[in-house]
Amino acid sequence: MKTKRLFLFAGYNAKGVIDDALVHYVNSLEKFGDIVLVMDSNCTATELKKVQKQCVYTAATRHGEYDFGSYKRAYIWACENLKIADYDFVPVNKSIVNINTNIFFII
């Protein structure tokens, strides 16, 4: 079986908003693998709906552990819910790349 990518996506927004840049990034990433998005923010269900179809899992609760706490939670969820031997893990967040850059050249 071919190994797939699992993007462990850490997010944050002080106002609990999933902005257009994050939606664009998630839309671009889904072409390259599965996404587990965990945000260190209190987002409403309405906000999470903006990216739920593109992700295998989304969660947004303020935990105060920043990106590493989000990566940890995403990894734990993946271990409990996916066959992780089928995946290569790729940690990402919105600050890693310029969202205006063509993501095809990055991945």
Side-chain angles (χ1 to χ4, degrees):
M1 175 177 196
K2 184 178 177 189
T3 303
K4 302 181 281 185
R5 288 187 188 99
L6 182 65
F7 296 103
L8 304 178
F9 200 122
Y12 173 78
N13 184 285
K15 296 178 182 178
V17 174
I18 295 179
D19 60 22
D20 291 342
L22 180 58
V23 172
H24 173 73
Y25 195 176
V26 169
N27 285 339
S28 297
L29 273 183
E30 79 167 324
K31 299 169 188 157
F32 300 101
D34 294 337
I35 303 167
V36 175
L37 172 69
V38 178
M39 296 184 66
D40 185 8
S41 305
N42 291 321
C43 295
T44 65
T46 302
E47 286 298 312
L48 283 174
K49 282 184 183 178
K50 295 177 182 179
V51 293
Q52 279 181 331
K53 289 181 184 175
Q54 301 92 323
C55 299
V56 294
Y57 177 73
T58 59
T61 304
R62 185 77 173 114
H63 51 70
E65 296 178 7
Y66 308 101
D67 286 352
F68 289 104
S70 294
Y71 294 137
K72 175 180 76 176
R73 285 162 177 78
Y75 181 77
I76 290 169
W77 182 90
C79 289
E80 293 173 348
N81 294 279
L82 300 173
K83 187 175 175 186
I84 61 168
D86 292 345
Y87 289 99
D88 285 333
F89 292 93
V90 182
V92 295
N93 67 37
K94 203 168 81 172
S95 63
I96 290 176
V97 299
N98 177 347
I99 298 303
N100 294 321
T101 302
N102 186 339
I103 200 153
F104 293 105
F105 294 113
I106 297 167
I107 297 180

